[in-house]
C-alpha cells in the first residue's frame, strides 16, 4: 500500500485509473479473505443468537 501511495503522489498513476465500484466488487469476490471473514462473521452471529435463545428454551422445557 505504501508503494502504491508513493506512485500516486509522484504522479505515476491516478486513483481514478483503477476502475469503478464494480471493479472493487469483483476484486472482493476473488479475495479469499472476504469469504473467510464472511464465514467467521456468520459463525459469530449464529453463536450469539444460540446463546441468547437456548436458555429461554431450556428453562421452559420441563414446565407444563
Amino acid at each position: 500500500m505504501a508503494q502504491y501511495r508513493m506512485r500516486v503522489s509522484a504522479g505515476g498513476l491516478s486513483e481514478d485509473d483503477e476502475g469503478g465500484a464494480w471493479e472493487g466488487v469483483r476484486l472482493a469476490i476473488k479475495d479469499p479473505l472476504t469469504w473467510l471473514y464472511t464465514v467467521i462473521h456468520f459463525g459469530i452471529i449464529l453463536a450469539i443468537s444460540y446463546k441468547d435463545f437456548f436458555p429461554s428454551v431450556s428453562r421452559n422445557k420441563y414446565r407444563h
Side-chain angles (χ1 to χ4, degrees):
M1 189 65 174
Q3 289 176 350
Y4 169 75
R5 289 288 177 198
M6 287 171 43
R7 278 187 288 179
V8 169
S9 337
L13 58 104
S14 169
E15 290 192 12
D16 294 334
D17 295 341
E18 293 293 316
W22 289 111
E23 179 70 16
V25 170
R26 187 180 70 78
L27 290 172
I29 289 172
K30 289 172 58 175
D31 187 11
L33 289 178
T34 301
W35 298 107
L36 177 65
Y37 174 77
T38 302
V39 168
I40 290 171
H41 183 72
F42 182 74
I44 289 171
I45 296 299
L46 186 64
I48 289 171
S49 64
Y50 181 77
K51 175 190 75 74
D52 291 339
F53 176 72
F54 186 69
S56 66
V57 173
S58 63
R59 245 181 293 154
N60 297 327
K61 182 178 180 182
Y62 296 108
R63 290 184 189 169
H64 295 312

